[in-house]
Amino acid sequence: MFHICAKVNLSHLAHKGIFNDWEHNNLFDKVYIDKETDAIAWSKDIELCPDALYLKISNLTFDEWKNKELLYATD
């Protein structure tokens, strides 16, 4: 197993919809990794998809990632 460390700017989510809860009771500081889904989570209602975060960190669209993976699969 290996670990990748990266920073993702989530400020565009603050104060929007369910992410308003980040402001209450220091919820943002209570982040954890959901053992079942590997999502970055703050509660059962607030979590971020690890695949979507990977694409954001990698600066790839889903189609770019899919084509890249298909290319590796045929090698």
Side-chain angles (χ1 to χ4, degrees), residues 26-65:
N26 298 320
L27 183 64
F28 189 81
D29 295 334
K30 297 176 183 174
V31 66
Y32 64 94
I33 304 295
D34 184 288
K35 292 179 183 178
E36 186 177 319
T37 65
D38 289 332
I40 297 173
W42 289 268
S43 70
K44 64 180 179 137
D45 297 321
I46 304 174
E47 59 182 38
L48 299 175
C49 172
D51 296 328
L53 288 172
Y54 171 79
L55 292 176
K56 185 167 184 67
I57 291 166
S58 301
N59 199 30
L60 293 170
T61 65
F62 175 76
D63 289 332
E64 290 169 335
W65 172 83

Side-chain angles (χ1 to χ4, degrees), residues 12-29:
H12 66 285
L13 299 175
H15 311 294
K16 294 182 181 173
I18 193 75
F19 296 101
N20 273 323
D21 288 348
W22 278 346
E23 303 297 319
H24 304 290
N25 301 320
N26 298 320
L27 183 64
F28 189 81
D29 295 334

